[in-house]
Amino acid sequence: MKYNNDKKKGGGFKRGGKKGSNDRDPFFEEETKKRRKVSYDDDDIESIDSDAEEDGFTGGDEDGKRVDVEVEDEDEFADETAGEKRKRLAEEMLNRMREAKRRERDAEDGDDDDEDEDESLKKSLMQKQQEDTGRIRRLIASRVQEPLSTDGFSIIVKHRRSVVSVALSDDDSRGFSASKDGTIVHWDVSSGKTDKYIWPSDEVLKSHGMKLREPRNKKHSRESLALAVSSDGRYLATGGVDRHVHIWDVRTREHVQAFPGHRNTVSCLCFRYGTAEVYSGSFDRNMKVWNAEDKAFVADNFGHQGEILAIDVLRKERALTVGRDRTMLYHKVPESSRMVYRAPASSLESCCFISDNEYLSGSDNGTVALWGMLKKKPMFILKNAHRDKTNEITTNGSLENGAHESIDNDCSASSWVNSVASCRGSDLAASGAGNGFVHLWAVETGAIRPLHKLPLTGFVNSLAFAKSGKFLIAGVGQETRFGRWGCVKSAQNGVAIHPLRLS
């Protein structure tokens, strides 16, 4: 028995290790070699450092330490979570704001109190957050000074045909405009430099989801009537008589997606603030919601008995629309419900949000009205806000004294309030028509107060305020937004800008 055991042991040693033996297994031999190699490299690095010290060179050590510090700085935030990253960025922003406040205070009186500084910073941040969310209203209307004789609208972008829609980026540096000839222009506010969006071929449009129409409609398929830009400045949405909502990439100015679904002309567009959701209204009496980032359809809402003419959206999933059925609808998109507001005696042409609970509308008889959520009738009506030049003609073609005489449609169309706009989160608003003036309004508690009249020849089809309230953009043309109900030959088709002086 003793001989057999020795034989087994010797046999296993001669063969280099049996299967299952850990002494001579090549896998474990390689692992041992790797570990020895790593330890050898570490020893080698230490010996090199020691040699350098012996030679009297210390620069290598310092450089090595710098490299280690840089690597540590890069890897310091590698394992942080999303919450930790937000906290770190917020702290950096607060430190920058504290430093700016400290410099301002040192420049003024040299007083430096950390408690007062933190308290003022807290108040300013709270006020900014409440203003951005619409909880409190910025008081800008009282700061608007009377325009000087040298101030006035100046054309910064020219178009061949009437401009029907304008929009501004969230930082007020770039503008966008669309006209009836299908031209979509991207321009710089300060310099006026323009870039056109080029329509791709029919094959590209078809690959992006567009359903091509018959050849007889192809001639007018590029006529744009609506335009909107997202709050982050990434996406531009356009719509027109081709019944599609087109999405463009602002950075590359390329066509991204075409949303079919409307059965008639797309008349109005608006992005929900802070998201990529675009709301569209059409002559088919339907309002639809799309997601530009996901390239998907979201929801649709019905309720109008006539063509939808204007739409506006704020942060919440609430939309405001007006139509030719003399109604204004407040849509609650997630609940698929709506509230109906009926105009007293005229069709509504335009609308906009003042706040989550107050809205402004313009009618085809020159009336500007202020609405509230708790009342189905206007809280305040300003009649004849945009009265035509004859001062006695109304939009129904009859004189105010009761005499029914035939009149020119050009005069009646000049009193249509084609556009209303508000400076987001403030009490400043404006309205435009074809009577030669843009009116500035101060929205007070349950009332509208006139501020100033800004002369502008032509039909004002679209208005947009700068977020800072320092200037006003107007899309003007010789014709109205929809159709050719009037014509002002002396008007110039383009985008006009007017500076606003704030005290």
Side-chain angles (χ1 to χ4, degrees):
M1 294 295 293
K2 184 176 180 182
Y3 173 78
N4 293 336
N5 291 338
D6 294 339
K7 185 177 180 180
K8 289 180 181 179
K9 291 180 180 178
F13 178 78
K14 290 179 180 179
R15 291 181 182 180
K18 290 183 179 180
K19 183 177 181 182
S21 176
N22 296 340
D23 295 334
R24 307 291 292 176
D25 195 312
F27 174 79
F28 292 99
E29 290 180 357
E30 293 176 2
E31 184 70 19
T32 305
K33 289 180 181 179
K34 290 181 180 178
R35 290 179 180 175
R36 288 177 180 175
K37 186 176 181 180
V38 172
S39 61
Y40 176 79
D41 291 340
D42 293 338
D43 296 337
D44 187 31
I45 292 175
E46 293 178 359
S47 65
I48 292 174
D49 293 340
S50 61
D51 294 341
E53 292 176 359
E54 291 177 359
D55 294 337
F57 295 101
T58 59
D61 282 344
E62 293 178 358
D63 293 340
K65 291 179 181 178
R66 291 195 197 100
V67 172
D68 292 340
V69 171
E70 291 178 359
V71 173
E72 289 177 0
D73 292 339
E74 293 178 358
D75 297 340
E76 182 180 357
F77 310 116
D79 298 332
E80 67 177 356
T81 62
E84 293 173 349
K85 183 178 180 181
R86 287 195 296 268
K87 181 181 178 181
R88 176 173 58 84
L89 296 176
E91 290 176 350
E92 292 177 358
M93 184 192 71
L94 288 175
N95 292 332
R96 290 194 299 268
M97 295 182 68
R98 286 194 184 98
E99 187 64 27
K101 289 276 187 182
R102 191 176 294 111
R103 287 196 299 266
E104 291 179 1
R105 183 168 298 178
D106 293 342
E108 291 177 359
D109 52 6
D111 187 13
D112 190 6
D113 191 351
D114 292 339
E115 294 183 0
D116 294 343
E117 181 181 345
D118 292 342
E119 190 67 24
S120 62
L121 183 62
K122 184 194 302 183
K123 290 182 180 180
S124 62
L125 288 175
M126 289 181 62
Q127 182 177 0
K128 185 177 184 301
Q129 193 271 341
Q130 290 177 345
E131 289 177 353
D132 292 341
T133 56
R135 294 181 181 178
I136 61 175
R137 186 177 295 174
R138 293 183 295 159
L139 302 179
I140 297 181
S142 59
R143 298 168 51 198
V144 178
Q145 299 179 356
E146 185 176 357
L148 302 177
S149 59
T150 56
D151 295 338
F153 278 102
S154 59
I155 301 295
I156 59 174
V157 180
K158 296 181 180 180
H159 284 264
R160 290 177 54 196
R161 295 188 62 188
S162 298
V163 176
V164 292
S165 183
V166 295
L168 286 172
S169 60
D170 197 52
D171 57 357
D172 299 338
S173 62
R174 296 169 297 172
F176 307 86
S177 58
S179 64
K180 288 186 176 182
D181 59 0
T183 304
I184 304 169
V185 180
H186 175 160
W187 35 273
D188 186 81
V189 173
S190 58
S191 63
K193 182 181 178 181
T194 61
D195 291 306
K196 291 184 179 180
Y197 285 75
I198 306 300
W199 284 94
S201 61
D202 292 343
E203 290 76 11
V204 175
L205 289 174
K206 190 174 181 180
S207 65
H208 290 173
M210 182 174 180
K211 296 181 179 179
L212 299 179
R213 304 299 177 185
E214 296 82 5
R216 60 188 179 86
N217 292 335
K218 188 175 179 181
K219 180 180 178 181
H220 304 287
S221 63
R222 300 294 181 268
E223 184 176 348
S224 300
L225 299 177
L227 177 143
V229 62
S230 60
S231 57
D232 58 359
R234 291 182 57 191
Y235 299 106
L236 178 71
T238 61
V241 299
D242 63 351
R243 309 175 186 180
H244 287 72
V245 177
H246 298 276
I247 305 298
W248 304 77
D249 191 335
V250 175
R251 294 167 294 184
T252 61
R253 297 180 182 83
E254 293 181 354
H255 191 274
V256 175
Q257 183 69 24
F259 291 124
H262 283 293
R263 294 175 295 172
N264 208 331
T265 299
V266 178
S267 57
C268 49
L269 292 167
C270 187
F271 273 93
R272 185 161 74 93
Y273 191 86
T275 67
E277 292 183 358
V278 57
Y279 289 63
S280 62
S282 171
F283 285 174
D284 62 1
R285 303 172 294 177
N286 186 13
M287 186 201 74
K288 295 182 181 293
V289 185
W290 319 85
N291 193 303
E293 189 171 1
D294 297 338
K295 301 179 181 180
F297 167 77
V298 178
D300 57 358
N301 283 262
F302 300 91
H304 278 287
Q305 303 301 317
E307 300 172 349
I308 297 178
L309 301 180
I311 189 171
D312 195 18
V313 186
L314 290 181
R315 289 178 177 269
K316 298 181 179 180
E317 293 182 278
R318 303 288 188 265
L320 192 69
T321 58
V322 297
R324 290 207 169 116
D325 54 357
R326 295 187 177 183
T327 61
M328 179 170 59
L329 299 187
Y330 181 82
H331 300 268
K332 300 179 181 179
V333 177
E335 298 87 348
S336 297
S337 61
R338 67 199 67 85
M339 297 174 61
V340 182
Y341 302 89
R342 301 190 182 277
S346 60
S347 296
L348 299 175
E349 292 286 330
S350 54
C351 66
C352 72
F353 274 104
I354 299 296
S355 64
D356 290 333
N357 303 321
E358 291 181 335
Y359 338 117
L360 197 67
S361 69
S363 305
D364 62 359
N365 61 353
T367 299
V368 177
L370 179 65
W371 304 73
M373 180 177 288
L374 302 179
K375 294 183 66 176
K376 293 297 184 70
K377 294 182 179 180
M379 295 190 301
F380 188 84
I381 299 177
L382 193 61
K383 296 183 179 180
N384 299 322
H386 289 271
R387 200 163 183 172
D388 55 18
K389 299 177 181 179
T390 59
N391 291 329
E392 60 178 0
I393 298 176
T394 59
T395 57
N396 58 7
S398 60
L399 300 179
E400 287 189 351
N401 58 10
H404 299 279
E405 295 181 4
S406 170
I407 62 171
D408 188 4
N409 283 336
D410 293 358
C411 296
S412 62
S414 63
S415 63
W416 296 358
V417 184
N418 297 314
S419 59
V420 291
S422 66
C423 187
R424 294 296 187 190
S426 72
D427 59 346
L428 180 62
S431 61
N435 65 334
F437 292 96
V438 174
H439 292 249
L440 296 181
W441 312 100
V443 180
E444 300 174 347
T445 304
I448 304 174
R449 178 171 56 87
L451 288 178
H452 307 293
K453 290 184 179 182
L454 310 179
L456 181 60
T457 304
F459 289 98
V460 182
N461 297 320
S462 182
L463 291 170
F465 272 103
K467 190 176 180 180
S468 59
K470 294 183 178 180
F471 60 89
L472 175 65
I473 295 291
V476 65
Q478 297 180 354
E479 302 172 355
T480 56
R481 275 195 306 163
F482 310 119
R484 304 181 65 180
W485 302 104
C487 184
V488 180
K489 297 289 187 180
S490 59
Q492 187 174 1
N493 300 322
V495 179
I497 183 173
H498 193 290
L500 299 178
R501 299 179 181 272
L502 302 180
S503 60

